[in-house]
Amino acid sequence: MAGHVTYREVKATILDRIKGGAWPPGALLPSEVELAAEFGTARATVSRAMRDLVEDGLVERKRKAGTRVRKMPLRQARLDIPLVRVEVEDQGAVYRYALVASHVGAAPDWLRARMGLPGGGEVRHILCMHFADGQPYQFEDRWISLDSAPDARAADFTAEGPNEWLVRQVPYSNVEISFSATAADAEQAQHLGCALGDALFRVERQTSWDGRELTFVRLTYHRGYRMTARY
Amino acid sequence: MAGHVTYREVKATILDRIKGGAWPPGALLPSEVELAAEFGTARATVSRAMRDLVEDGLVERKRKAGTRVRKMPLRQARLDIPLVRVEVEDQGAVYRYALVASHVGAAPDWLRARMGLPGGGEVRHILCMHFADGQPYQFEDRWISLDSAPDARAADFTAEGPNEWLVRQVPYSNVEISFSATAADAEQAQHLGCALGDALFRVERQTSWDGRELTFVRLTYHRGYRMTARY
């Protein structure tokens, strides 16, 4: 390379060598000092290219062992998990919330098993709907442990959904999230305005805070919903 | 706090203040030096707690403007996107691949629109199956642009799937991924061993490399599949 060498050019050259097999999977790369000398550029320029390649999951750095080509490129997608209100508003649509049903009672066995709740614990069960421009967007079926969140017993969910309330109450730390498909049952079909058995995208989320299980929610989306990310 | 103060204790105290409303959404936090003095600990200990809180999406740092409580906690899930072979093997199952069909031809109109391919471009279309312990796991329906990846024309996909081949050929940089639910069509039902219309989890992925659209794939998973992440 002649003249001023950018980090993009350095990165492209390294990529060509990885792609071309000059530096195969598992290969040890020359040091940044050696590469800077070869490319006639500053070490900082090589460093920046390397950081990009590490973030792209193509090479990995090991202490004292140098930088190697990954045996298998690491692929990770980052998914934003916004409040449904924010998701709808970001699409330029008008958001509306509606409470469907709410009651307090003993946790059913499947929920106790799933959340790891102690026997005798009470929960608040909330069913509610989220609309975008008047069309059904998401059906929310949520359980909140009253042992972990006693304030949820008397909280008013008629004007505001439990997700907004929880975010304000608890800067919760641990979430397990799963994505799957489900056939619409009668309740989902009624609220989402689709046919019984229609294929719906479903998110299940279990949230714990400070080591205590707080809430489990099943979110079912309108037919044709798509969750998108880039990486 | 008395005695040796850990960063976890500092973090817990800051969280209590955020949660308790002493530091409401948008509030400016005291400087790390001030907090270190208050807690009787080293500034490095406060720094470590703050880094955790930034990563948890609860506070945000702005240059010169200090650290503030986020108006809305930032939630992001990181999803690993492994090769299906690696995903199956990580579950302790035996992976098997099978090619179903392959041909080369003109890109259909919907694909040209979707991928933004020029007119007249040829593609290789591959249908294949991935099994876990002999059970259908994933049905892959893939299109590769031969303008972008001419080597794909003659590549042999009988023993190895096109995803493994592509990962070796192209350390690709840009992926758009989407998750949705779909009702099984006749082809999917046949290969995945389910009934017509069953709700299936579907991943669609479009990959470009160096500004050129390379491949579009629809992955449909066996009934009951669930993709899980934690954050």
Side-chain angles (χ1 to χ4, degrees):
Chain A
M1 292 187 224
H4 180 66
V5 181
T6 68
Y7 86 92
R8 286 180 193 282
E9 289 169 326
V10 171
K11 183 181 171 187
T13 303
I14 296 173
L15 274 176
D16 282 347
R17 291 183 188 175
I18 292 173
K19 189 182 166 188
W23 292 339
L28 183 66
L29 268 57
S31 72
E32 292 184 1
V33 171
E34 289 169 318
L35 289 172
E38 180 193 341
F39 297 149
T41 185
R43 181 173 172 182
T45 306
V46 175
S47 279
R48 174 137 189 227
M50 281 294 177
R51 273 203 307 278
D52 255 33
L53 292 163
V54 169
E55 275 179 22
D56 292 349
L58 291 165
V59 307
E60 57 190 336
R61 282 180 169 148
K62 293 193 172 160
R63 263 184 215 191
K64 294 180 182 168
T67 301
R68 286 186 184 275
V69 181
R70 270 193 186 277
K71 295 226 167 120
M72 189 72 71
L74 187 70
R75 322 306 310 274
Q76 264 196 344
R78 282 182 207 178
L79 274 177
D80 287 321
I81 314 286
L83 284 174
V84 59
R85 174 177 59 74
V86 174
E87 182 178 332
V88 166
E89 289 172 352
D90 281 353
Q91 291 166 22
V94 175
Y95 170 76
R96 184 165 64 83
Y97 163 79
L99 181 65
V100 172
S102 165
H103 82 277
V104 169
D109 288 343
W110 70 265
L111 184 70
R112 289 206 293 122
R114 167 115 200 187
M115 290 184 72
L117 298 177
E122 280 191 314
V123 287
R124 182 148 177 200
H125 184 201
I126 301 125
L127 299 178
C128 54
M129 273 299 299
H130 305 272
F131 297 88
D133 283 344
Q135 297 298 309
Y137 189 84
Q138 184 197 78
F139 177 62
E140 177 175 353
D141 181 347
R142 183 181 292 275
W143 305 79
I144 305 174
S145 162
L146 296 180
D147 286 334
S148 301
D151 289 352
R153 182 183 296 271
D156 180 8
F157 296 131
T158 53
E160 183 191 60
N163 56 353
E164 309 247 359
W165 183 86
L166 282 160
V167 163
R168 265 209 322 281
Q169 295 284 313
V170 185
Y172 41 80
S173 46
N174 291 307
V175 180
E176 185 187 289
I177 192 166
S178 78
F179 308 102
S180 54
T182 190
D185 64 19
E187 192 169 46
Q188 291 159 343
Q190 182 203 329
H191 291 293
L192 291 168
C194 66
L196 199 67
D198 271 358
L200 302 178
F201 183 70
R202 177 174 64 183
V203 172
E204 291 173 304
R205 233 163 36 197
Q206 183 165 328
T207 304
S208 62
W209 161 247
D210 209 12
R212 304 176 73 176
E213 297 306 323
L214 179 65
T215 182
F216 173 71
V217 65
R218 274 204 185 108
L219 307 169
T220 321
Y221 289 79
H222 66 88
R223 217 166 73 105
Y225 176 82
R226 195 176 280 269
M227 179 174 276
T228 299
R230 284 176 181 76
Y231 59 86
Chain B
M1 292 185 221
H4 180 67
V5 181
T6 68
Y7 86 92
R8 286 180 194 282
E9 289 169 328
V10 172
K11 182 182 173 187
T13 302
I14 296 172
L15 273 177
D16 282 346
R17 290 182 189 176
I18 293 173
K19 190 183 166 186
W23 292 341
L28 183 66
L29 268 57
S31 72
E32 291 184 1
V33 171
E34 288 168 319
L35 289 171
E38 180 194 341
F39 297 150
T41 186
R43 180 174 171 181
T45 306
V46 175
S47 279
R48 174 136 188 224
M50 283 295 178
R51 273 204 306 278
D52 255 34
L53 291 163
V54 169
E55 275 181 21
D56 292 349
L58 291 165
V59 306
E60 56 189 336
R61 284 180 168 149
K62 292 191 174 164
R63 263 184 216 190
K64 292 182 184 169
T67 301
R68 288 186 183 276
V69 181
R70 269 191 187 277
K71 296 225 168 122
M72 189 72 72
L74 186 71
R75 322 305 310 275
Q76 262 197 347
R78 283 183 206 178
L79 275 177
D80 286 322
I81 313 286
L83 282 174
V84 60
R85 174 177 59 73
V86 173
E87 182 178 331
V88 166
E89 289 172 351
D90 281 353
Q91 292 166 21
V94 174
Y95 169 77
R96 183 165 65 82
Y97 162 80
L99 180 65
V100 171
S102 165
H103 82 276
V104 169
D109 288 344
W110 70 265
L111 184 70
R112 287 206 294 122
R114 167 114 202 188
M115 289 184 71
L117 297 177
E122 281 192 312
V123 288
R124 181 145 179 202
H125 184 202
I126 301 125
L127 300 177
C128 55
M129 273 298 300
H130 306 273
F131 297 87
D133 283 342
Q135 298 297 310
Y137 189 84
Q138 184 198 79
F139 177 61
E140 177 175 352
D141 181 347
R142 182 181 293 274
W143 304 79
I144 304 174
S145 162
L146 296 180
D147 285 334
S148 301
D151 289 352
R153 183 184 295 270
D156 179 7
F157 296 130
T158 53
E160 182 191 59
N163 55 355
E164 309 246 1
W165 184 86
L166 282 161
V167 163
R168 264 208 324 278
Q169 295 285 311
V170 185
Y172 41 82
S173 47
N174 292 307
V175 179
E176 184 187 290
I177 192 166
S178 78
F179 307 103
S180 55
T182 190
D185 65 18
E187 193 169 46
Q188 291 160 343
Q190 181 203 329
H191 291 294
L192 291 167
C194 66
L196 198 68
D198 272 358
L200 302 178
F201 182 71
R202 177 175 62 184
V203 172
E204 290 173 303
R205 234 166 33 201
Q206 184 165 326
T207 305
S208 63
W209 162 247
D210 209 11
R212 305 177 72 176
E213 298 306 323
L214 180 64
T215 181
F216 173 72
V217 65
R218 272 201 186 112
L219 306 169
T220 322
Y221 289 80
H222 65 89
R223 217 166 74 104
Y225 176 83
R226 194 176 279 273
M227 179 173 275
T228 299
R230 284 175 181 76
Y231 61 88

